[in-house]
Amino acid sequence: MVIVEDIEGVRAEVSSRRRQGKLIIFVPTMGNLHQGHVALIRHAKHYGGTVLVSLYVNPLQFGVNEDFSTYPRTLETDKAVLMEEKADILFLPDDQTMYPRGIEDQTKVEVPRLGGVLEGVTRPHFFRGVTTVVNRLFNIVQADIAVFGKKDYQQWIVIKRMVNDLAMPIEIVGVDTVREQDGLALSSRNNYLTPEQRRKAPMLYRGLLRAAEKLRSGERAYERIEQAAFEDIQSGGLRPDYIGVRRQQDLMVPDEADTAWVVLGAAYVGKTRLIDNIEVEIKV
Ligand code: PAF
């Protein structure tokens, strides 16, 4: 695995692989790699091209009271995971490379509306931070395909919209969420949980599952389904932030004609905020 830290270095690596006829498949991460990331890298490897992973904890997507300073940074174990998974290139930019003029002066990219619902209500800075960094990373890396986890469902939809709106020549692929045996979606933030909180954490998934089952069995009173899931999660000892039954394509409230839904939710366990979602498709 080649490790590069600057833009020229990454572009030189990418161009030489492209000259050999290789597809470039990009997996952007913030490190602290777990089996969810491994699934992304394995998916990327399927294409048979060059797999490029970036690792950068992006300050722009954290709010002032969020966990930027305590976000787990585990570079040496991350490198070992990437070697094991046979990633080809690791891009390790620093703040100077990503935001040479500082974050205030950085040109921002914003997806309106889609970036302001659900997660965007509680974390109004978040998607702007993500789309800004991902846009810059895409321009640096110039990959053919980029792979994202569907655990961050809204992030995946927002990025697809950005790529479409800005006519960016890259294909965006989503990979299914990897879960613990009890259903908890893998996340770097699970590291923050005490044993007691870890025991309660799967209640988010269970609440969403119940909502998904109702949709599958024909119920269409979305607000009632959301409210019941909210109460289920609350009675499991979590503090739900939102539960939303939305259509997959654009996260709008579905209408009768829709057949592809997603139930999304966020909940606090202590101070840790977890998110999850379940896709529901009805074949007609
Ligand atoms: O999902 C993540 O890890 C981050 O939001 C991303 C896409 C790497 C941007 O910083």
PDB file of all heavy atoms in Angstrom, residues 28-31 37 54 56-58 61 71 126 129-130 133-134 137 148 152 155 159, ligand 1:
ATOM      1  N   PRO A  28     -13.859   7.210   1.021  1.00  0.00           N
ATOM      2  CA  PRO A  28     -13.489   8.263   1.977  1.00  0.00           C
ATOM      3  C   PRO A  28     -13.863   7.844   3.401  1.00  0.00           C
ATOM      4  O   PRO A  28     -14.949   7.310   3.619  1.00  0.00           O
ATOM      5  CB  PRO A  28     -14.346   9.471   1.549  1.00  0.00           C
ATOM      6  CG  PRO A  28     -15.270   8.994   0.491  1.00  0.00           C
ATOM      7  CD  PRO A  28     -15.070   7.534   0.274  1.00  0.00           C
ATOM      8  N   THR A  29     -12.968   8.062   4.361  1.00  0.00           N
ATOM      9  CA  THR A  29     -13.270   7.700   5.760  1.00  0.00           C
ATOM     10  C   THR A  29     -12.696   8.763   6.698  1.00  0.00           C
ATOM     11  O   THR A  29     -11.888   9.595   6.285  1.00  0.00           O
ATOM     12  CB  THR A  29     -12.633   6.339   6.179  1.00  0.00           C
ATOM     13  OG1 THR A  29     -11.247   6.560   6.514  1.00  0.00           O
ATOM     14  CG2 THR A  29     -12.747   5.287   5.110  1.00  0.00           C
ATOM     15  N   MET A  30     -13.119   8.653   7.950  1.00  0.00           N
ATOM     16  CA  MET A  30     -12.490   9.473   8.996  1.00  0.00           C
ATOM     17  C   MET A  30     -11.657   8.560   9.905  1.00  0.00           C
ATOM     18  O   MET A  30     -11.339   8.927  11.041  1.00  0.00           O
ATOM     19  CB  MET A  30     -13.547  10.218   9.803  1.00  0.00           C
ATOM     20  CG  MET A  30     -14.347  11.198   8.937  1.00  0.00           C
ATOM     21  SD  MET A  30     -15.040  12.580   9.856  1.00  0.00           S
ATOM     22  CE  MET A  30     -16.101  11.735  10.990  1.00  0.00           C
ATOM     23  N   GLY A  31     -11.314   7.378   9.410  1.00  0.00           N
ATOM     24  CA  GLY A  31     -10.468   6.481  10.187  1.00  0.00           C
ATOM     25  C   GLY A  31     -11.242   5.757  11.270  1.00  0.00           C
ATOM     26  O   GLY A  31     -12.466   5.655  11.215  1.00  0.00           O
ATOM     27  N   HIS A  37     -16.352  -0.340   7.698  1.00  0.00           N
ATOM     28  CA  HIS A  37     -15.416   0.183   6.690  1.00  0.00           C
ATOM     29  C   HIS A  37     -14.843  -0.967   5.854  1.00  0.00           C
ATOM     30  O   HIS A  37     -14.638  -0.827   4.659  1.00  0.00           O
ATOM     31  CB  HIS A  37     -14.256   0.932   7.368  1.00  0.00           C
ATOM     32  CG  HIS A  37     -14.672   2.146   8.122  1.00  0.00           C
ATOM     33  ND1 HIS A  37     -14.717   2.193   9.495  1.00  0.00           N
ATOM     34  CD2 HIS A  37     -15.058   3.374   7.692  1.00  0.00           C
ATOM     35  CE1 HIS A  37     -15.104   3.391   9.888  1.00  0.00           C
ATOM     36  NE2 HIS A  37     -15.326   4.130   8.819  1.00  0.00           N
ATOM     37  N   SER A  54      -9.226   7.342   1.783  1.00  0.00           N
ATOM     38  CA  SER A  54      -8.713   8.552   2.435  1.00  0.00           C
ATOM     39  C   SER A  54      -9.084   8.488   3.904  1.00  0.00           C
ATOM     40  O   SER A  54     -10.102   7.897   4.289  1.00  0.00           O
ATOM     41  CB  SER A  54      -9.282   9.828   1.799  1.00  0.00           C
ATOM     42  OG  SER A  54     -10.657   9.905   2.050  1.00  0.00           O
ATOM     43  N   TYR A  56      -9.343  11.240   6.953  1.00  0.00           N
ATOM     44  CA  TYR A  56      -9.228  12.634   7.394  1.00  0.00           C
ATOM     45  C   TYR A  56     -10.407  12.940   8.309  1.00  0.00           C
ATOM     46  O   TYR A  56     -11.569  12.779   7.908  1.00  0.00           O
ATOM     47  CB  TYR A  56      -9.240  13.574   6.177  1.00  0.00           C
ATOM     48  CG  TYR A  56      -9.217  15.044   6.550  1.00  0.00           C
ATOM     49  CD1 TYR A  56      -8.118  15.587   7.220  1.00  0.00           C
ATOM     50  CD2 TYR A  56     -10.286  15.881   6.250  1.00  0.00           C
ATOM     51  CE1 TYR A  56      -8.096  16.929   7.581  1.00  0.00           C
ATOM     52  CE2 TYR A  56     -10.265  17.233   6.600  1.00  0.00           C
ATOM     53  CZ  TYR A  56      -9.170  17.739   7.267  1.00  0.00           C
ATOM     54  OH  TYR A  56      -9.145  19.075   7.629  1.00  0.00           O
ATOM     55  N   VAL A  57     -10.124  13.359   9.545  1.00  0.00           N
ATOM     56  CA  VAL A  57     -11.197  13.748  10.468  1.00  0.00           C
ATOM     57  C   VAL A  57     -11.505  15.211  10.169  1.00  0.00           C
ATOM     58  O   VAL A  57     -10.715  16.101  10.492  1.00  0.00           O
ATOM     59  CB  VAL A  57     -10.773  13.537  11.947  1.00  0.00           C
ATOM     60  CG1 VAL A  57     -11.955  13.834  12.873  1.00  0.00           C
ATOM     61  CG2 VAL A  57     -10.290  12.098  12.176  1.00  0.00           C
ATOM     62  N   ASN A  58     -12.640  15.410   9.517  1.00  0.00           N
ATOM     63  CA  ASN A  58     -12.979  16.698   8.916  1.00  0.00           C
ATOM     64  C   ASN A  58     -13.583  17.666   9.935  1.00  0.00           C
ATOM     65  O   ASN A  58     -14.745  17.498  10.324  1.00  0.00           O
ATOM     66  CB  ASN A  58     -13.985  16.420   7.789  1.00  0.00           C
ATOM     67  CG  ASN A  58     -14.562  17.690   7.197  1.00  0.00           C
ATOM     68  OD1 ASN A  58     -13.893  18.710   7.138  1.00  0.00           O
ATOM     69  ND2 ASN A  58     -15.812  17.605   6.757  1.00  0.00           N
ATOM     70  N   GLN A  61     -17.337  19.270   9.649  1.00  0.00           N
ATOM     71  CA  GLN A  61     -18.625  18.598   9.821  1.00  0.00           C
ATOM     72  C   GLN A  61     -18.990  18.370  11.290  1.00  0.00           C
ATOM     73  O   GLN A  61     -19.975  17.706  11.590  1.00  0.00           O
ATOM     74  CB  GLN A  61     -18.672  17.300   9.018  1.00  0.00           C
ATOM     75  CG  GLN A  61     -17.778  16.180   9.511  1.00  0.00           C
ATOM     76  CD  GLN A  61     -17.697  15.050   8.500  1.00  0.00           C
ATOM     77  OE1 GLN A  61     -17.076  15.159   7.468  1.00  0.00           O
ATOM     78  NE2 GLN A  61     -18.342  13.926   8.805  1.00  0.00           N
ATOM     79  N   TYR A  71     -12.883  12.509  18.917  1.00  0.00           N
ATOM     80  CA  TYR A  71     -13.173  11.486  17.906  1.00  0.00           C
ATOM     81  C   TYR A  71     -11.990  10.516  17.841  1.00  0.00           C
ATOM     82  O   TYR A  71     -10.835  10.948  17.769  1.00  0.00           O
ATOM     83  CB  TYR A  71     -13.407  12.145  16.538  1.00  0.00           C
ATOM     84  CG  TYR A  71     -14.063  11.202  15.566  1.00  0.00           C
ATOM     85  CD1 TYR A  71     -15.450  11.049  15.556  1.00  0.00           C
ATOM     86  CD2 TYR A  71     -13.309  10.431  14.697  1.00  0.00           C
ATOM     87  CE1 TYR A  71     -16.058  10.159  14.688  1.00  0.00           C
ATOM     88  CE2 TYR A  71     -13.910   9.536  13.834  1.00  0.00           C
ATOM     89  CZ  TYR A  71     -15.284   9.409  13.833  1.00  0.00           C
ATOM     90  OH  TYR A  71     -15.882   8.524  12.980  1.00  0.00           O
ATOM     91  N   PHE A 126     -23.749  20.046   9.589  1.00  0.00           N
ATOM     92  CA  PHE A 126     -23.144  18.750   9.264  1.00  0.00           C
ATOM     93  C   PHE A 126     -22.997  18.482   7.763  1.00  0.00           C
ATOM     94  O   PHE A 126     -21.901  18.220   7.264  1.00  0.00           O
ATOM     95  CB  PHE A 126     -23.941  17.626   9.943  1.00  0.00           C
ATOM     96  CG  PHE A 126     -23.435  16.257   9.591  1.00  0.00           C
ATOM     97  CD1 PHE A 126     -22.190  15.833  10.034  1.00  0.00           C
ATOM     98  CD2 PHE A 126     -24.184  15.388   8.810  1.00  0.00           C
ATOM     99  CE1 PHE A 126     -21.700  14.577   9.705  1.00  0.00           C
ATOM    100  CE2 PHE A 126     -23.709  14.131   8.479  1.00  0.00           C
ATOM    101  CZ  PHE A 126     -22.461  13.732   8.927  1.00  0.00           C
ATOM    102  N   GLY A 129     -20.549  20.554   5.884  1.00  0.00           N
ATOM    103  CA  GLY A 129     -19.177  20.104   6.154  1.00  0.00           C
ATOM    104  C   GLY A 129     -18.829  18.870   5.336  1.00  0.00           C
ATOM    105  O   GLY A 129     -17.735  18.761   4.773  1.00  0.00           O
ATOM    106  N   VAL A 130     -19.792  17.952   5.254  1.00  0.00           N
ATOM    107  CA  VAL A 130     -19.545  16.709   4.510  1.00  0.00           C
ATOM    108  C   VAL A 130     -19.425  17.004   3.018  1.00  0.00           C
ATOM    109  O   VAL A 130     -18.475  16.552   2.358  1.00  0.00           O
ATOM    110  CB  VAL A 130     -20.676  15.680   4.782  1.00  0.00           C
ATOM    111  CG1 VAL A 130     -20.587  14.512   3.808  1.00  0.00           C
ATOM    112  CG2 VAL A 130     -20.630  15.179   6.212  1.00  0.00           C
ATOM    113  N   VAL A 133     -16.141  18.799   2.152  1.00  0.00           N
ATOM    114  CA  VAL A 133     -14.924  17.974   2.181  1.00  0.00           C
ATOM    115  C   VAL A 133     -14.955  16.911   1.082  1.00  0.00           C
ATOM    116  O   VAL A 133     -13.938  16.641   0.428  1.00  0.00           O
ATOM    117  CB  VAL A 133     -14.670  17.369   3.582  1.00  0.00           C
ATOM    118  CG1 VAL A 133     -15.510  16.121   3.835  1.00  0.00           C
ATOM    119  CG2 VAL A 133     -13.207  17.040   3.767  1.00  0.00           C
ATOM    120  N   VAL A 134     -16.133  16.316   0.864  1.00  0.00           N
ATOM    121  CA  VAL A 134     -16.217  15.244  -0.142  1.00  0.00           C
ATOM    122  C   VAL A 134     -15.990  15.827  -1.537  1.00  0.00           C
ATOM    123  O   VAL A 134     -15.304  15.232  -2.366  1.00  0.00           O
ATOM    124  CB  VAL A 134     -17.573  14.494  -0.026  1.00  0.00           C
ATOM    125  CG1 VAL A 134     -17.813  13.575  -1.218  1.00  0.00           C
ATOM    126  CG2 VAL A 134     -17.613  13.688   1.271  1.00  0.00           C
ATOM    127  N   LEU A 137     -12.305  16.337  -1.829  1.00  0.00           N
ATOM    128  CA  LEU A 137     -11.649  15.020  -1.974  1.00  0.00           C
ATOM    129  C   LEU A 137     -11.881  14.457  -3.380  1.00  0.00           C
ATOM    130  O   LEU A 137     -10.955  13.934  -4.004  1.00  0.00           O
ATOM    131  CB  LEU A 137     -12.179  14.043  -0.921  1.00  0.00           C
ATOM    132  CG  LEU A 137     -11.679  14.257   0.514  1.00  0.00           C
ATOM    133  CD1 LEU A 137     -12.503  13.433   1.502  1.00  0.00           C
ATOM    134  CD2 LEU A 137     -10.192  13.895   0.648  1.00  0.00           C
ATOM    135  N   PHE A 148     -19.849   4.543  -0.258  1.00  0.00           N
ATOM    136  CA  PHE A 148     -20.276   5.069   1.045  1.00  0.00           C
ATOM    137  C   PHE A 148     -21.144   4.030   1.755  1.00  0.00           C
ATOM    138  O   PHE A 148     -21.823   3.232   1.103  1.00  0.00           O
ATOM    139  CB  PHE A 148     -21.101   6.348   0.855  1.00  0.00           C
ATOM    140  CG  PHE A 148     -20.278   7.505   0.363  1.00  0.00           C
ATOM    141  CD1 PHE A 148     -20.045   7.684  -0.990  1.00  0.00           C
ATOM    142  CD2 PHE A 148     -19.714   8.403   1.263  1.00  0.00           C
ATOM    143  CE1 PHE A 148     -19.267   8.740  -1.451  1.00  0.00           C
ATOM    144  CE2 PHE A 148     -18.936   9.462   0.815  1.00  0.00           C
ATOM    145  CZ  PHE A 148     -18.714   9.629  -0.545  1.00  0.00           C
ATOM    146  N   ASP A 152     -25.061   5.766   7.146  1.00  0.00           N
ATOM    147  CA  ASP A 152     -25.259   7.225   7.052  1.00  0.00           C
ATOM    148  C   ASP A 152     -26.109   7.489   5.806  1.00  0.00           C
ATOM    149  O   ASP A 152     -25.630   8.030   4.808  1.00  0.00           O
ATOM    150  CB  ASP A 152     -23.901   7.913   6.954  1.00  0.00           C
ATOM    151  CG  ASP A 152     -23.073   7.673   8.205  1.00  0.00           C
ATOM    152  OD1 ASP A 152     -23.425   8.219   9.251  1.00  0.00           O
ATOM    153  OD2 ASP A 152     -22.109   6.892   8.132  1.00  0.00           O
ATOM    154  N   GLN A 155     -26.527  11.015   4.417  1.00  0.00           N
ATOM    155  CA  GLN A 155     -25.253  11.454   3.832  1.00  0.00           C
ATOM    156  C   GLN A 155     -25.103  10.892   2.411  1.00  0.00           C
ATOM    157  O   GLN A 155     -24.719  11.598   1.473  1.00  0.00           O
ATOM    158  CB  GLN A 155     -24.097  10.977   4.716  1.00  0.00           C
ATOM    159  CG  GLN A 155     -22.727  11.139   4.075  1.00  0.00           C
ATOM    160  CD  GLN A 155     -21.594  10.787   5.024  1.00  0.00           C
ATOM    161  OE1 GLN A 155     -21.190  11.608   5.843  1.00  0.00           O
ATOM    162  NE2 GLN A 155     -21.058   9.585   4.916  1.00  0.00           N
ATOM    163  N   ILE A 159     -24.955  13.191  -0.906  1.00  0.00           N
ATOM    164  CA  ILE A 159     -23.788  13.149  -1.802  1.00  0.00           C
ATOM    165  C   ILE A 159     -24.218  12.798  -3.227  1.00  0.00           C
ATOM    166  O   ILE A 159     -23.743  13.395  -4.195  1.00  0.00           O
ATOM    167  CB  ILE A 159     -22.709  12.199  -1.246  1.00  0.00           C
ATOM    168  CG1 ILE A 159     -22.096  12.845  -0.003  1.00  0.00           C
ATOM    169  CG2 ILE A 159     -21.626  11.900  -2.295  1.00  0.00           C
ATOM    170  CD1 ILE A 159     -21.221  11.951   0.824  1.00  0.00           C
TER     171      ILE A 159
HETATM  172  O1  PAF B   1     -18.836   9.084   6.642  1.00  0.00           O
HETATM  173  C1  PAF B   1     -17.737   9.594   6.959  1.00  0.00           C
HETATM  174  O2  PAF B   1     -16.849   8.939   7.512  1.00  0.00           O
HETATM  175  C2  PAF B   1     -17.501  11.071   6.670  1.00  0.00           C
HETATM  176  O3  PAF B   1     -18.673  11.807   6.807  1.00  0.00           O
HETATM  177  C3  PAF B   1     -16.861  11.319   5.293  1.00  0.00           C
HETATM  178  C4  PAF B   1     -17.779  10.865   4.167  1.00  0.00           C
HETATM  179  C5  PAF B   1     -15.532  10.572   5.197  1.00  0.00           C
HETATM  180  C6  PAF B   1     -16.587  12.813   5.106  1.00  0.00           C
HETATM  181  O4  PAF B   1     -15.740  13.311   6.078  1.00  0.00           O
END
